[in-house]
Amino acid sequence: MAVISIERMGLLSVFCVCLFFSSAFAVDRGNFKTCDQSSFCKRQRALKPGQSPYRALLETLELSDSRLTLQLINDNNKVHLLLELYRLQGNMTRVKINELKPLKPRFEVPDVLIAEPPTEPLSVLSKDDNGIVLSLGAESQRLIVSARPFRLDIMEGPEVLLSLNSRGLLAFEHLHLRKDTQAQPDGAEVKESVDGDQQQDEVEKDEDGEGDKEQDGLWEETFKSHTDTKPNGPTSISLDFSLPGVEHVYGIPEHADDLKLKTTDGGDPYRLYNLDVFQYELYNPMALYGSIPVMLAHNTQRTMGIFWLNAAETWVDISSNTAGKTVFGKMLDFVQGSSEKPQTDIRWISESGIIDVFIMLGPKPSDVFSQYASLTGTQSFPPLASLGYHQCRWNYNDQEDVKSVDQGFDQHDIPYDFIWLDIEHADGKRYFTWDPHKFSQPKEMLQGLMDKRRKMVAIVDPHIKVDSGYKIHSEITSKDFYVKNKDGRNYEGWCWPGNSGYPDFTIPEMRAWWASMFAYDQYEGSMENLFTWNDMNEPSVFNGPEVTMHKDALHGKWEHREIHNIYGLYVQMATAEGQIQRSGGVERPFVLTRAFFAGSQRFGAVWTGDNAAEWGHLKISIPMCLSLGLVGVSFCGADIGGFFKNPSTELLVRWYQTGAYQPFFRAHAHLDTTRREPWLFGPENTALIREVIRQRYALLPYWYQLFFQAYRTGMPVMRPLWVDYPKDTVTFTIDDEFLIGSDLLVHPITEEGSRGVTAYLPGAGEVWYDVHTFQKHNGAQNLYIPVTLSSIPVFQRGGSIIPRKDRVRRSSACMENDPYTLYVALSPKKFARGKLYIDDGHSFNYDTKKEFIHRSLTFANNALTSSNLCPDCNFLTSSWIEKVLILGASKPSKVVLKMDGKETPVDFEFDSSMSVLTLRKPGMNAGDDWTLLLQ
């Protein structure tokens, strides 16, 4: 009876938690720390600039072909650090700082870099008592190491590009023994370092040389009812960076904030700590579900990046000498000849680990993207179907509900590719299972979808119900794969199933086992058209500190505090590997994750979490996804309509119009919201939603080509205007419109009751064509656009060619062999260029067998030509070119197709009012060489 009573109490607790989650409508800020409540952040932030105790011991310099090492000393406590400098291929510099002889090893983040970055030789140009000058090779780039105080400057010619520790905020809390204990940390060795005799006198001193005394949070910290024991004591690190000439910095997602990062003077720093934040607030720096510690700096001369490789809780301070100045003030500076150069200063603060930072020197935006991709990999190339429309809610009730929704799309002539199942589909929220009453025949359900060439996603979360009769739990227990608590027993916390264990995904064998569970003979009821959603993988622990795992939980010898921000990456990594393995390595996976880190782009898609049906949440989805794209994660989207609350009809329509032009296109809603399938809001609104979903499907060839480019180069699919117009200062703060690739500009309607919007069309001397009306507009202007509820302002850049499939069917797979229409938008010089990419849409054969078509499309000298970009590739398509529209054209006397040595006349029409030439049924295979001559 006692066991039953405890179980009932547990279920009641989870019920109460769920009730709280479903009834509250705003984040409880009190559940999450501010910097003042995070002892290491408060401690580090109290340090004053300009008082650095560190100096470089130049006599310890050692230089090899691949690296330079140099010792630093803290003159307050005599602790020595080891500085390592690497010149990396591709115009990057790596800086590592660690303790020279720590009591025990400090954590260094594994599995994020795709390989050890290749180096290039460093050479000493000069050296004296004050410092060292090193050559970085290209374009007179030099790295200057100043000795007292220690400082690094990267120069190009006479210009300082970036400085480290110029404000003297380097801080490195070294491992030491606690004064009131004689026992040493597990695995610790007696420290035999250059400061030997002074060690015991100094162990209780902080970085300023002041005693630990009774400072809060050094060896133990309490937040609300949770106490974090700190057996290693204070271990935080900090380093400042100065960026002369820079006013605009971006990145460090995930935050619900503007694209351009704000200064943090007088407020909290930006926080990077993966957390389950219930209906997050907008426009503040608090942490959300994912963390990518990468920042981009941009001005008209150069783009650079800083990658801070640390997976512990991290805070980022930003200050600027131009912050708060009005436009008038800046103009006054210019008129009066102010000599003050703009500068942005960044400070990174992490709770533990080492300093390991990659400085990406650009100089172009595309260079920074390729530099970062060379370190952490590119966006995985997704299956084509995953770029279509996804229909989800928490929860579709049962198999009949799934069937009814699926039929509803057909009845209303709306295409979709994936229908999703949330946590209620599983048997008692035991993942990898099906509710025996509601989903008793999962294969029958999946086969019904497969017959229509559609697919399903089912959720598999990384909290496992503690139940001895549950195979997954029993196997993880028997293999000892659970995260441990500080006492060495299995860590348990509350999540959706009740009492749950948390698999230790940092263990390679655990990830391999997890991957094996996706095999068709292990995951009963699964089929090849079932894919996966990893939610709650921050990890979310309802009764844990800040709704997550205790920092003193253990992953082998490492505390959770060291690895927290990469836990979600490991979950998605193991899940994606499971999908690949189940197909024998043939099929591409599709995995959506909520938590992420640097490198997560290699494993699938992300979304912006638990948003709300509010206009502000629609608007913020744009900068949130733009920020992710800048740091490698192109496959991003937000829940269409808002997860919480019920959207007005206008908001829902506007959200579909926005989401259709973002990379990941999924509608999703909370359990307590009213149903909102696209046809439930009257025929007029159904027609509006249908139309924009069909626009998405027509553009799938363009989206697919862009994802192929992102996979190859690291270029973001959805991007801010400044990426393609890096010298146009007007674009630097724009985040209510965006580019898809280089050639489509989208300005969604994100304000209630809008009668018109003003879009900025960049590019002096360029032209843009409205994709709906083909009206031509000049670049470098603000264009006022009257709008109705049916409007979604989208423009094609003059000088581009975009392939579309205008015959839209029930799913992307049904359109596989359909013909293409080419939209050729001419520049003022009557030139245009584009690409067409085709493969089977789902396998790795494009990579393993070079089975794809990649063609260059060029319009020049009144001729449109298709030529092969991959002569040794081998793929056949039955798709053909059905139509060509040339925007900005002149009327020809005739049009001739040259192909296979033959010339064939082509029918055409010319609209003189819009200067649009339409070529009908030229009839070429999409994979062939051909030329259309306008005579």
PDB file of all heavy atoms in Angstrom, residues 820 822 880-884 895 897 899 904-907 918-925 930 932:
ATOM      1  N   TYR A 820       9.089  21.774 -64.553  1.00  0.00           N
ATOM      2  CA  TYR A 820       9.570  23.018 -63.946  1.00  0.00           C
ATOM      3  C   TYR A 820       9.115  24.217 -64.761  1.00  0.00           C
ATOM      4  O   TYR A 820       8.966  24.139 -65.980  1.00  0.00           O
ATOM      5  CB  TYR A 820      11.106  23.034 -63.901  1.00  0.00           C
ATOM      6  CG  TYR A 820      11.701  22.050 -62.920  1.00  0.00           C
ATOM      7  CD1 TYR A 820      12.017  20.754 -63.315  1.00  0.00           C
ATOM      8  CD2 TYR A 820      11.953  22.430 -61.602  1.00  0.00           C
ATOM      9  CE1 TYR A 820      12.567  19.858 -62.417  1.00  0.00           C
ATOM     10  CE2 TYR A 820      12.511  21.536 -60.700  1.00  0.00           C
ATOM     11  CZ  TYR A 820      12.812  20.258 -61.110  1.00  0.00           C
ATOM     12  OH  TYR A 820      13.352  19.369 -60.217  1.00  0.00           O
ATOM     13  N   LEU A 822      10.680  28.124 -65.135  1.00  0.00           N
ATOM     14  CA  LEU A 822      11.820  28.969 -64.788  1.00  0.00           C
ATOM     15  C   LEU A 822      11.381  30.418 -64.790  1.00  0.00           C
ATOM     16  O   LEU A 822      10.820  30.906 -65.779  1.00  0.00           O
ATOM     17  CB  LEU A 822      12.965  28.765 -65.783  1.00  0.00           C
ATOM     18  CG  LEU A 822      13.495  27.333 -65.951  1.00  0.00           C
ATOM     19  CD1 LEU A 822      14.642  27.314 -66.956  1.00  0.00           C
ATOM     20  CD2 LEU A 822      13.925  26.749 -64.616  1.00  0.00           C
ATOM     21  N   TRP A 880      10.599  17.928 -66.950  1.00  0.00           N
ATOM     22  CA  TRP A 880      10.968  18.718 -68.118  1.00  0.00           C
ATOM     23  C   TRP A 880      10.659  20.189 -67.840  1.00  0.00           C
ATOM     24  O   TRP A 880      10.054  20.546 -66.833  1.00  0.00           O
ATOM     25  CB  TRP A 880      10.230  18.227 -69.370  1.00  0.00           C
ATOM     26  CG  TRP A 880       8.734  18.124 -69.237  1.00  0.00           C
ATOM     27  CD1 TRP A 880       8.040  17.196 -68.513  1.00  0.00           C
ATOM     28  CD2 TRP A 880       7.757  18.973 -69.835  1.00  0.00           C
ATOM     29  NE1 TRP A 880       6.690  17.413 -68.617  1.00  0.00           N
ATOM     30  CE2 TRP A 880       6.486  18.497 -69.424  1.00  0.00           C
ATOM     31  CE3 TRP A 880       7.813  20.071 -70.687  1.00  0.00           C
ATOM     32  CZ2 TRP A 880       5.286  19.088 -69.828  1.00  0.00           C
ATOM     33  CZ3 TRP A 880       6.628  20.671 -71.096  1.00  0.00           C
ATOM     34  CH2 TRP A 880       5.380  20.179 -70.669  1.00  0.00           C
ATOM     35  N   ILE A 881      11.107  21.053 -68.723  1.00  0.00           N
ATOM     36  CA  ILE A 881      10.854  22.488 -68.594  1.00  0.00           C
ATOM     37  C   ILE A 881       9.553  22.803 -69.315  1.00  0.00           C
ATOM     38  O   ILE A 881       9.474  22.726 -70.537  1.00  0.00           O
ATOM     39  CB  ILE A 881      12.008  23.332 -69.167  1.00  0.00           C
ATOM     40  CG1 ILE A 881      13.349  22.883 -68.582  1.00  0.00           C
ATOM     41  CG2 ILE A 881      11.752  24.817 -68.894  1.00  0.00           C
ATOM     42  CD1 ILE A 881      13.477  23.021 -67.088  1.00  0.00           C
ATOM     43  N   GLU A 882       8.551  23.140 -68.530  1.00  0.00           N
ATOM     44  CA  GLU A 882       7.213  23.347 -69.076  1.00  0.00           C
ATOM     45  C   GLU A 882       7.004  24.781 -69.549  1.00  0.00           C
ATOM     46  O   GLU A 882       6.251  25.036 -70.507  1.00  0.00           O
ATOM     47  CB  GLU A 882       6.182  23.018 -67.989  1.00  0.00           C
ATOM     48  CG  GLU A 882       4.740  23.223 -68.404  1.00  0.00           C
ATOM     49  CD  GLU A 882       3.772  22.883 -67.281  1.00  0.00           C
ATOM     50  OE1 GLU A 882       4.047  23.258 -66.115  1.00  0.00           O
ATOM     51  OE2 GLU A 882       2.750  22.245 -67.566  1.00  0.00           O
ATOM     52  N   LYS A 883       7.665  25.717 -68.871  1.00  0.00           N
ATOM     53  CA  LYS A 883       7.408  27.119 -69.158  1.00  0.00           C
ATOM     54  C   LYS A 883       8.611  27.937 -68.698  1.00  0.00           C
ATOM     55  O   LYS A 883       9.294  27.573 -67.743  1.00  0.00           O
ATOM     56  CB  LYS A 883       6.145  27.591 -68.424  1.00  0.00           C
ATOM     57  CG  LYS A 883       5.653  28.975 -68.803  1.00  0.00           C
ATOM     58  CD  LYS A 883       4.546  29.463 -67.876  1.00  0.00           C
ATOM     59  CE  LYS A 883       3.330  28.554 -67.866  1.00  0.00           C
ATOM     60  NZ  LYS A 883       2.254  29.137 -67.000  1.00  0.00           N
ATOM     61  N   VAL A 884       8.848  29.049 -69.379  1.00  0.00           N
ATOM     62  CA  VAL A 884       9.866  30.013 -68.965  1.00  0.00           C
ATOM     63  C   VAL A 884       9.223  31.395 -68.986  1.00  0.00           C
ATOM     64  O   VAL A 884       8.636  31.795 -69.994  1.00  0.00           O
ATOM     65  CB  VAL A 884      11.098  30.000 -69.908  1.00  0.00           C
ATOM     66  CG1 VAL A 884      12.106  31.066 -69.469  1.00  0.00           C
ATOM     67  CG2 VAL A 884      11.749  28.621 -69.935  1.00  0.00           C
ATOM     68  N   VAL A 895      11.641  32.902 -81.079  1.00  0.00           N
ATOM     69  CA  VAL A 895      12.436  32.212 -80.059  1.00  0.00           C
ATOM     70  C   VAL A 895      12.737  30.817 -80.586  1.00  0.00           C
ATOM     71  O   VAL A 895      11.853  30.116 -81.096  1.00  0.00           O
ATOM     72  CB  VAL A 895      11.684  32.116 -78.718  1.00  0.00           C
ATOM     73  CG1 VAL A 895      12.521  31.349 -77.689  1.00  0.00           C
ATOM     74  CG2 VAL A 895      11.325  33.504 -78.202  1.00  0.00           C
ATOM     75  N   LEU A 897      14.784  27.056 -79.827  1.00  0.00           N
ATOM     76  CA  LEU A 897      15.464  26.130 -78.914  1.00  0.00           C
ATOM     77  C   LEU A 897      16.576  25.415 -79.662  1.00  0.00           C
ATOM     78  O   LEU A 897      16.325  24.759 -80.691  1.00  0.00           O
ATOM     79  CB  LEU A 897      14.472  25.099 -78.366  1.00  0.00           C
ATOM     80  CG  LEU A 897      15.072  23.929 -77.578  1.00  0.00           C
ATOM     81  CD1 LEU A 897      15.753  24.403 -76.292  1.00  0.00           C
ATOM     82  CD2 LEU A 897      13.998  22.876 -77.266  1.00  0.00           C
ATOM     83  N   MET A 899      19.205  22.454 -79.310  1.00  0.00           N
ATOM     84  CA  MET A 899      19.428  21.286 -78.452  1.00  0.00           C
ATOM     85  C   MET A 899      19.784  20.103 -79.335  1.00  0.00           C
ATOM     86  O   MET A 899      19.140  19.868 -80.368  1.00  0.00           O
ATOM     87  CB  MET A 899      18.154  20.999 -77.643  1.00  0.00           C
ATOM     88  CG  MET A 899      18.282  19.930 -76.584  1.00  0.00           C
ATOM     89  SD  MET A 899      16.740  19.852 -75.615  1.00  0.00           S
ATOM     90  CE  MET A 899      17.088  18.391 -74.655  1.00  0.00           C
ATOM     91  N   THR A 904      14.627  24.413 -82.906  1.00  0.00           N
ATOM     92  CA  THR A 904      13.177  24.238 -82.934  1.00  0.00           C
ATOM     93  C   THR A 904      12.520  25.535 -82.498  1.00  0.00           C
ATOM     94  O   THR A 904      12.904  26.110 -81.468  1.00  0.00           O
ATOM     95  CB  THR A 904      12.748  23.110 -81.962  1.00  0.00           C
ATOM     96  OG1 THR A 904      13.520  21.942 -82.236  1.00  0.00           O
ATOM     97  CG2 THR A 904      11.264  22.808 -82.112  1.00  0.00           C
ATOM     98  N   PRO A 905      11.534  26.032 -83.243  1.00  0.00           N
ATOM     99  CA  PRO A 905      10.840  27.254 -82.814  1.00  0.00           C
ATOM    100  C   PRO A 905      10.015  26.993 -81.550  1.00  0.00           C
ATOM    101  O   PRO A 905       9.494  25.894 -81.346  1.00  0.00           O
ATOM    102  CB  PRO A 905       9.951  27.605 -84.006  1.00  0.00           C
ATOM    103  CG  PRO A 905       9.790  26.331 -84.760  1.00  0.00           C
ATOM    104  CD  PRO A 905      11.033  25.533 -84.541  1.00  0.00           C
ATOM    105  N   VAL A 906       9.909  28.016 -80.719  1.00  0.00           N
ATOM    106  CA  VAL A 906       9.183  27.910 -79.449  1.00  0.00           C
ATOM    107  C   VAL A 906       8.082  28.971 -79.435  1.00  0.00           C
ATOM    108  O   VAL A 906       8.322  30.136 -79.772  1.00  0.00           O
ATOM    109  CB  VAL A 906      10.138  28.117 -78.251  1.00  0.00           C
ATOM    110  CG1 VAL A 906       9.366  28.132 -76.935  1.00  0.00           C
ATOM    111  CG2 VAL A 906      11.211  27.032 -78.236  1.00  0.00           C
ATOM    112  N   ASP A 907       6.875  28.558 -79.037  1.00  0.00           N
ATOM    113  CA  ASP A 907       5.758  29.495 -78.919  1.00  0.00           C
ATOM    114  C   ASP A 907       6.001  30.453 -77.754  1.00  0.00           C
ATOM    115  O   ASP A 907       6.529  30.063 -76.706  1.00  0.00           O
ATOM    116  CB  ASP A 907       4.444  28.748 -78.668  1.00  0.00           C
ATOM    117  CG  ASP A 907       4.011  27.942 -79.881  1.00  0.00           C
ATOM    118  OD1 ASP A 907       4.458  28.283 -80.996  1.00  0.00           O
ATOM    119  OD2 ASP A 907       3.246  26.974 -79.697  1.00  0.00           O
ATOM    120  N   THR A 918       6.655  35.110 -72.023  1.00  0.00           N
ATOM    121  CA  THR A 918       6.329  33.758 -71.582  1.00  0.00           C
ATOM    122  C   THR A 918       6.601  32.782 -72.720  1.00  0.00           C
ATOM    123  O   THR A 918       6.033  32.925 -73.815  1.00  0.00           O
ATOM    124  CB  THR A 918       4.857  33.650 -71.154  1.00  0.00           C
ATOM    125  OG1 THR A 918       4.601  34.601 -70.108  1.00  0.00           O
ATOM    126  CG2 THR A 918       4.546  32.250 -70.655  1.00  0.00           C
ATOM    127  N   LEU A 919       7.478  31.810 -72.468  1.00  0.00           N
ATOM    128  CA  LEU A 919       7.773  30.758 -73.441  1.00  0.00           C
ATOM    129  C   LEU A 919       7.027  29.503 -73.006  1.00  0.00           C
ATOM    130  O   LEU A 919       7.217  29.006 -71.897  1.00  0.00           O
ATOM    131  CB  LEU A 919       9.282  30.483 -73.485  1.00  0.00           C
ATOM    132  CG  LEU A 919      10.203  31.706 -73.562  1.00  0.00           C
ATOM    133  CD1 LEU A 919      11.657  31.261 -73.664  1.00  0.00           C
ATOM    134  CD2 LEU A 919       9.829  32.578 -74.758  1.00  0.00           C
ATOM    135  N   ARG A 920       6.196  28.983 -73.860  1.00  0.00           N
ATOM    136  CA  ARG A 920       5.333  27.871 -73.498  1.00  0.00           C
ATOM    137  C   ARG A 920       5.839  26.545 -74.079  1.00  0.00           C
ATOM    138  O   ARG A 920       6.152  26.457 -75.255  1.00  0.00           O
ATOM    139  CB  ARG A 920       3.905  28.115 -73.970  1.00  0.00           C
ATOM    140  CG  ARG A 920       3.280  29.350 -73.331  1.00  0.00           C
ATOM    141  CD  ARG A 920       1.786  29.422 -73.564  1.00  0.00           C
ATOM    142  NE  ARG A 920       1.195  30.588 -72.937  1.00  0.00           N
ATOM    143  CZ  ARG A 920       0.901  30.667 -71.628  1.00  0.00           C
ATOM    144  NH1 ARG A 920       1.124  29.629 -70.848  1.00  0.00           N
ATOM    145  NH2 ARG A 920       0.372  31.778 -71.134  1.00  0.00           N
ATOM    146  N   LYS A 921       5.922  25.566 -73.203  1.00  0.00           N
ATOM    147  CA  LYS A 921       6.250  24.179 -73.561  1.00  0.00           C
ATOM    148  C   LYS A 921       7.468  24.067 -74.467  1.00  0.00           C
ATOM    149  O   LYS A 921       7.397  23.461 -75.553  1.00  0.00           O
ATOM    150  CB  LYS A 921       5.042  23.499 -74.206  1.00  0.00           C
ATOM    151  CG  LYS A 921       3.864  23.383 -73.260  1.00  0.00           C
ATOM    152  CD  LYS A 921       2.720  22.590 -73.879  1.00  0.00           C
ATOM    153  CE  LYS A 921       1.572  22.460 -72.889  1.00  0.00           C
ATOM    154  NZ  LYS A 921       0.419  21.703 -73.433  1.00  0.00           N
ATOM    155  N   PRO A 922       8.594  24.632 -74.040  1.00  0.00           N
ATOM    156  CA  PRO A 922       9.801  24.414 -74.857  1.00  0.00           C
ATOM    157  C   PRO A 922      10.207  22.944 -74.866  1.00  0.00           C
ATOM    158  O   PRO A 922      10.842  22.490 -75.821  1.00  0.00           O
ATOM    159  CB  PRO A 922      10.844  25.297 -74.191  1.00  0.00           C
ATOM    160  CG  PRO A 922      10.348  25.497 -72.794  1.00  0.00           C
ATOM    161  CD  PRO A 922       8.858  25.488 -72.876  1.00  0.00           C
ATOM    162  N   GLY A 923       9.865  22.206 -73.771  1.00  0.00           N
ATOM    163  CA  GLY A 923       9.927  20.742 -73.820  1.00  0.00           C
ATOM    164  C   GLY A 923      11.265  20.100 -73.542  1.00  0.00           C
ATOM    165  O   GLY A 923      11.428  18.906 -73.792  1.00  0.00           O
ATOM    166  N   MET A 924      12.272  20.823 -73.012  1.00  0.00           N
ATOM    167  CA  MET A 924      13.573  20.206 -72.736  1.00  0.00           C
ATOM    168  C   MET A 924      13.501  19.382 -71.441  1.00  0.00           C
ATOM    169  O   MET A 924      12.813  19.769 -70.507  1.00  0.00           O
ATOM    170  CB  MET A 924      14.661  21.265 -72.557  1.00  0.00           C
ATOM    171  CG  MET A 924      14.611  22.416 -73.536  1.00  0.00           C
ATOM    172  SD  MET A 924      13.341  23.633 -73.146  1.00  0.00           S
ATOM    173  CE  MET A 924      14.225  24.713 -72.034  1.00  0.00           C
ATOM    174  N   ASN A 925      14.244  18.299 -71.401  1.00  0.00           N
ATOM    175  CA  ASN A 925      14.419  17.589 -70.144  1.00  0.00           C
ATOM    176  C   ASN A 925      15.233  18.466 -69.194  1.00  0.00           C
ATOM    177  O   ASN A 925      16.194  19.128 -69.608  1.00  0.00           O
ATOM    178  CB  ASN A 925      15.123  16.254 -70.366  1.00  0.00           C
ATOM    179  CG  ASN A 925      15.227  15.442 -69.079  1.00  0.00           C
ATOM    180  OD1 ASN A 925      16.096  15.668 -68.237  1.00  0.00           O
ATOM    181  ND2 ASN A 925      14.329  14.477 -68.923  1.00  0.00           N
ATOM    182  N   TRP A 930      20.900  22.772 -73.124  1.00  0.00           N
ATOM    183  CA  TRP A 930      20.067  23.426 -74.122  1.00  0.00           C
ATOM    184  C   TRP A 930      20.294  24.928 -74.084  1.00  0.00           C
ATOM    185  O   TRP A 930      20.818  25.479 -73.108  1.00  0.00           O
ATOM    186  CB  TRP A 930      18.580  23.113 -73.920  1.00  0.00           C
ATOM    187  CG  TRP A 930      18.079  23.306 -72.502  1.00  0.00           C
ATOM    188  CD1 TRP A 930      17.928  22.349 -71.558  1.00  0.00           C
ATOM    189  CD2 TRP A 930      17.684  24.548 -71.892  1.00  0.00           C
ATOM    190  NE1 TRP A 930      17.465  22.889 -70.378  1.00  0.00           N
ATOM    191  CE2 TRP A 930      17.298  24.245 -70.566  1.00  0.00           C
ATOM    192  CE3 TRP A 930      17.602  25.869 -72.334  1.00  0.00           C
ATOM    193  CZ2 TRP A 930      16.848  25.218 -69.672  1.00  0.00           C
ATOM    194  CZ3 TRP A 930      17.163  26.857 -71.451  1.00  0.00           C
ATOM    195  CH2 TRP A 930      16.792  26.520 -70.140  1.00  0.00           C
ATOM    196  N   LEU A 932      18.016  28.566 -75.260  1.00  0.00           N
ATOM    197  CA  LEU A 932      16.885  29.246 -75.871  1.00  0.00           C
ATOM    198  C   LEU A 932      17.370  30.596 -76.391  1.00  0.00           C
ATOM    199  O   LEU A 932      17.862  31.428 -75.611  1.00  0.00           O
ATOM    200  CB  LEU A 932      15.755  29.444 -74.853  1.00  0.00           C
ATOM    201  CG  LEU A 932      14.951  28.199 -74.488  1.00  0.00           C
ATOM    202  CD1 LEU A 932      14.136  28.440 -73.226  1.00  0.00           C
ATOM    203  CD2 LEU A 932      14.022  27.808 -75.648  1.00  0.00           C
TER     204      LEU A 932
END
